[in-house]
């Protein structure tokens, strides 16, 4: 009996050892399979935050810490809605400014940065104050940064590459050499004072941007501006010098001194939906020659009783004398409606067939015609063969057959 027990005990030991070996082999093969499945697959942006050591390692005790890496200076920060700690590219310390990026013409902000002292790695989410007063800088690339702020006084800067994940922009000032800027459709917000005295020739904001904050588009050297999502303008938001400015059908309100400058031609588009549009008596303080208003109901000019007593240079369309020289084109069956509308009725009203403005074009001819194409929702049309229908290009509707 004792012999049987001893044999059973030894057999049990062998069985447990064999099971352990099998388990280790399964684990090893599972890990290899997972590695093979993920090989060569890029990490999505949503997973970048999980790569930061600040999330699981050092913890919040590193919040606000600063360090230098690769010639740029960083600060450890946290962001609302983003898990863990990350890094923001910042201005150098005062004692380092004299040599900061001296002689550097091109800068690329990396997606990740490692603190050389602690060894912690952070994803880079933001630039804030890092690129100011650099006379030699010509190009900045930020393929992964989502929040971009502060590009001041950069006379030679001619190229800024934004991430296709860009969420917010702010602080582009005194950039005379920056002639183009491709703003991605992901953009959701502009900070006040966003673009001032920049050299951009054709400016476009994605349809998600519904409002222009104060002091944001002071762009007197820009030749063409298209804001397809525009619904309202805040105080002192746009200073323009344009041949033509087109307002989308859903534009609803312009605030005090929100549109100032010279605009030879203003177009109010309409999509057949009945919407109220209000213009502050002290908005559209600009010299204008022609207004094409497709709206069947005239936009309401608030506080119009003060039009004759206000200072002309501070009132809509520069006051009573200038308004008489403006030609107003309205739908053919709405002439009488506009003749009853305050301030509009002082202009030279002309009945206009807006359907005749719609250019008819074959799909095959789109490749030979320049200009960005938008659908009636304001979105950029990227295909070279859009579906037949009505689109907008250069501020005018076109019919694609």
């Amino acid at each position: 009996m004792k012999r049987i027990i001893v044999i059973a005990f030894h057999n049990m030991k062998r069985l447990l050892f064999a099971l352990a070996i099998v388990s280790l082999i399964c684990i090893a093969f599972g890990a290899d399979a997972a590695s093979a499945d993920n090989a060569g697959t890029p990490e999505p942006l949503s997973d970048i935050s999980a790569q930061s050591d600040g999330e699981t390692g050092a913890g919040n005790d590193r919040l606000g810490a600063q360090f230098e890496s690769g010639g740029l200076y960083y600060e450890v920060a946290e962001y609302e809605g983003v898990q863990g700690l990350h890094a923001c590219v910042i201005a150098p310390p005062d004692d380092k400014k004299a040599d900061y990026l001296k002689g550097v013409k091109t800068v690329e902000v990396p997606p990740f940065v490692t603190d050389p002292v602690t060894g912690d790695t952070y994803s880079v989410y933001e630039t804030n104050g890092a690129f100011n007063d650099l006379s030699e800088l010509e190009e900045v690339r930020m393929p992964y940064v989502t929040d971009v702020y502060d590009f001041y006084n950069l006379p030679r800067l001619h190229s800024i590459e934004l991430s296709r994940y860009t969420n917010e922009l702010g602080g582009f000032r005194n950039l005379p050499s920056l002639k183009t800027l491709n703003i991605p459709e992901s953009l959701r917000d502009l900070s006040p004072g966003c673009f001032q005295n920049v050299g951009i020739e054709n400016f476009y904001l994605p349809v998600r941007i519904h409002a222009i904050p104060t002091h944001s588009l002071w762009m007197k050297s820009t030749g063409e501006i298209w804001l397809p999502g525009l619904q309202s303008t805040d105080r002192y938001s746009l200073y323009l010098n344009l041949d033509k400015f087109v307002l989308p059908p859903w534009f609803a309100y312009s605030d005090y001194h929100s549109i100032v400058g010279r605009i030879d031609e203003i177009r109010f588009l309409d999509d057949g939906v009945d919407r109220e549009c209000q213009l502050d008596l002290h908005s559209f303080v600009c010299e204008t020659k022609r207004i094409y208003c497709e709206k069947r109901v005239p936009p309401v000019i608030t506080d119009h009783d003060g039009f004759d007593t206000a200072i002309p240079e501070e009132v809509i369309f520069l006051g009573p004398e200038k308004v008489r020289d403006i030609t107003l084109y309205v739908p053919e069956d709405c002439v009488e409606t506009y003749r009853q509308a305050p301030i509009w009725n002082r202009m030279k009203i002309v009945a206009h067939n807006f359907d005749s403005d719609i250019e008819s074009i074959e799909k095959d001819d789109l490749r030979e015609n320049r200009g960005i194409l938008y659908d009636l929702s304001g979105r950029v049309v990227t295909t070279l063969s859009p579906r037949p229908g009505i689109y907008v290009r250069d501020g005018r509707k076109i019919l694609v057959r």
Side-chain angles (χ1 to χ4, degrees):
M1 182 72 178
K2 183 176 179 181
R3 174 179 172 79
I4 294 174
I5 294 175
V6 170
I7 293 173
F9 175 74
H10 282 293
N11 288 338
M12 181 65 68
K13 284 175 64 179
R14 291 191 186 98
L15 177 62
L16 290 174
F17 181 75
L19 288 173
I21 294 297
V22 170
S23 297
L24 289 174
I25 292 172
C26 290
I27 291 173
F29 273 105
D32 288 342
S35 298
D37 288 342
N38 292 326
T41 303
E43 296 167 356
L45 183 69
S46 59
D47 290 342
I48 288 180
S49 61
Q51 304 299 316
S52 295
D53 288 346
E55 179 183 342
T56 56
N60 288 347
D61 59 326
R62 292 291 297 161
L63 186 64
Q66 298 182 1
F67 60 90
E68 183 271 337
S69 178
L72 297 175
Y73 291 84
Y74 299 86
E75 180 173 290
V76 179
E78 59 184 355
Y79 297 90
E80 184 178 355
V82 182
Q83 189 177 11
L85 298 181
H86 306 277
C88 171
V89 190
I90 60 172
D94 290 340
D95 61 340
K96 303 292 185 181
K97 286 184 177 180
D99 295 323
Y100 178 61
L101 297 182
K102 191 173 183 179
V104 175
K105 294 183 178 181
T106 301
V107 171
E108 178 160 348
V109 178
F112 302 101
V113 64
T114 299
D115 185 333
V117 176
T118 66
D120 294 329
T121 298
Y122 305 95
S123 56
V124 182
Y125 262 68
E126 179 182 342
T127 65
N128 197 331
F131 304 108
N132 298 339
D133 302 305
L134 300 169
S135 60
E136 298 175 87
L137 188 62
E138 297 181 1
E139 183 179 7
V140 177
R141 296 194 289 265
M142 299 171 289
Y144 298 97
V145 177
T146 61
D147 296 354
V148 179
Y149 306 101
D150 298 349
F151 283 74
Y152 294 172
N153 307 323
L154 304 170
R156 297 185 182 179
L157 184 70
H158 61 80
S159 176
I160 298 177
E161 179 189 336
L162 298 174
S163 166
R164 63 191 179 98
Y165 306 108
T166 300
N167 180 65
E168 184 169 351
L169 295 178
F172 291 72
R173 300 181 187 177
N174 301 325
L175 310 174
S177 299
L178 186 66
K179 302 301 182 183
T180 61
L181 182 66
N182 293 323
I183 299 177
E185 295 296 320
S186 61
L187 186 70
R188 294 180 180 273
D189 198 15
L190 294 180
S191 64
C194 190
F195 291 94
Q196 295 186 10
N197 302 321
V198 296
I200 299 175
E201 296 173 348
N202 297 299
F203 187 78
Y204 162 78
L205 284 179
V207 71
R208 290 178 177 177
I209 302 299
H210 302 313
I212 305 300
T214 184
H215 299 287
S216 283
L217 298 184
W218 290 15
M219 307 180 72
K220 293 186 177 181
S221 63
T222 299
E224 182 179 338
I225 291 179
W226 175 229
L227 312 173
L230 186 63
Q231 297 179 14
S232 64
T233 53
D234 292 350
R235 291 187 167 207
Y236 308 105
S237 54
L238 287 91
Y239 282 68
L240 307 173
N241 182 26
L242 297 173
D243 294 334
K244 180 171 61 179
F245 185 44
V246 180
L247 295 158
W250 30 86
F251 180 72
Y253 181 67
S254 60
D255 205 344
Y256 181 91
H257 272 246
S258 61
I259 300 175
V260 178
R262 177 196 67 86
I263 307 175
D264 287 347
E265 180 179 303
I266 299 173
R267 284 184 171 258
F268 292 86
L269 298 184
D270 187 65
D271 60 356
V273 178
D274 187 17
R275 298 183 180 87
E276 186 178 54
C277 179
Q278 290 189 353
L279 312 180
D280 188 279
L281 177 64
H282 298 276
S283 67
F284 284 91
V285 185
C286 55
E287 185 177 353
T288 303
K289 297 177 181 178
R290 299 173 301 278
I291 298 176
Y292 288 82
C293 192
E294 294 185 19
K295 296 181 178 294
R296 305 186 63 80
V297 177
V300 175
I301 299 175
T302 63
D303 302 320
H304 56 81
D305 290 339
F307 184 57
D308 291 297
T309 58
I311 299 173
E313 292 78 14
E314 297 182 0
V315 77
I316 195 166
F317 305 128
L318 300 180
E321 294 297 324
K322 295 285 188 180
V323 159
R324 294 190 186 99
D325 297 329
I326 297 175
T327 302
L328 173 63
Y329 298 88
V330 302
E332 291 176 311
D333 57 347
C334 296
V335 171
E336 283 304 316
T337 303
Y338 277 84
R339 284 177 177 165
Q340 302 303 317
I343 299 181
W344 301 107
N345 57 9
R346 303 191 188 197
M347 301 177 186
K348 295 179 286 187
I349 299 176
V350 176
H352 186 70
N353 180 5
F354 285 95
D355 290 338
S356 67
D357 290 344
I358 301 178
E359 176 189 2
S360 183
I361 189 171
E362 298 289 343
K363 283 195 294 187
D364 293 341
D365 295 334
L366 283 175
R367 300 184 184 185
E368 301 175 6
N369 288 271
R370 297 180 180 180
I372 300 173
L373 194 68
Y374 307 89
D375 63 20
L376 290 181
S377 297
R379 294 169 300 198
V380 176
V381 178
T382 56
T383 177
L384 294 177
S385 248
R387 289 191 227 171
I390 296 178
Y391 297 86
V392 176
R393 185 176 62 195
D394 296 331
R396 293 181 181 273
K397 292 179 180 177
I398 65 170
L399 174 63
V400 176
R401 296 194 302 265

